[in-house]
Amino acid sequence: MRDMSREMISRAWDKLVNGMVLFACALIAADCLLIVVDVTLRNFGRQPPAYTVALTEYSLLYLTMAAAPWLVRERAWIVVEVIYRRTSSTARGRLDKLIFGLCTLVSVIVAVMAGILAVEGVMRGEVEIRSLDMPRWALFAPVTLGFSMMAVEFTRCLIRGDSMSQAEADQAF
């Protein structure tokens, strides 16, 4: 029973991570469309919407944070293989645990700080005023969510005993 509920939670988590990366892909497509519309209108001597630049800047934050947990799960990070390969397998195992632990810790710290700033933004009613007014909390909410989810993914890597090296991970499967 316990394994079945753990499996259900794991599947739900994976669907959430996959859904967020699909959301990120949709935002990239929307940004491209906005840019094409902006440039096309300018080339025809028309005035493009004033909010295009602000909207694409905000969406870059959202899409980055939405895709980040998936990137962690897929091991889409950079490892200095030259140094990594020169360490013994025992040292690599310890190094992996240290790195995953540090990544988890940093992700939690950033998520907590962003969460605090989001709550403060709500309490103060702060608004970022540009061509498109945005509640300040809405700038910190995706950071809180993205880094929280990355912390979970790094913790999963730590618990499973994953390797930082993609080459080693490929050999394990």
Side-chain angles (χ1 to χ4, degrees):
M1 184 69 161
R2 185 179 249 162
D3 288 338
M4 193 163 74
S5 62
R6 188 178 294 156
E7 183 66 29
M8 285 176 49
I9 292 169
S10 181
R11 270 191 254 133
W13 175 261
D14 289 341
K15 285 182 180 182
L16 176 63
V17 171
N18 289 336
M20 287 183 62
V21 81
L22 290 175
F23 174 68
C25 291
L27 283 176
I28 291 171
D31 283 351
C32 290
L33 183 62
L34 275 172
I35 292 166
V36 166
V37 167
D38 187 272
V39 170
T40 302
L41 287 173
R42 285 179 197 272
N43 283 333
F44 284 109
R46 307 280 295 172
Q47 181 66 33
Y51 57 82
T52 303
V53 172
L55 202 56
T56 55
E57 287 173 354
Y58 291 140
S59 75
L60 287 174
L61 171 65
Y62 275 79
L63 73 89
T64 300
M65 291 295 101
W70 181 82
L71 291 169
V72 172
R73 187 178 62 188
E74 296 298 315
R75 291 184 176 86
W77 53 62
I78 297 170
V79 176
V80 181
E81 292 285 339
V82 172
I83 296 170
Y84 195 80
R85 292 259 181 226
R86 293 180 190 261
T87 60
S88 68
S89 61
T90 306
R92 264 183 279 182
R94 290 183 185 139
L95 187 60
D96 288 335
K97 288 178 182 171
L98 174 68
I99 292 170
F100 283 128
L102 284 172
C103 289
T104 301
L105 179 64
V106 169
S107 295
V108 168
I109 290 170
V110 172
V112 168
M113 294 303 296
I116 290 169
L117 291 170
V119 169
E120 284 179 0
V122 169
M123 292 174 67
R124 294 179 182 166
E126 296 174 334
V127 176
E128 180 162 324
I129 299 172
R130 300 178 64 186
S131 58
L132 176 69
D133 294 348
M134 181 78 128
R136 190 168 164 92
W137 66 264
L139 300 174
F140 293 105
V143 176
T144 304
L145 180 63
F147 275 93
S148 296
M149 291 180 71
M150 283 192 293
V152 171
E153 285 295 327
F154 283 125
T155 302
R156 290 176 84 187
C157 291
L158 183 63
I159 290 169
R160 286 190 306 250
D162 289 354
S163 172
M164 287 298 297
S165 171
Q166 184 63 43
E168 266 189 42
D170 290 342
Q171 290 173 1
F173 294 107

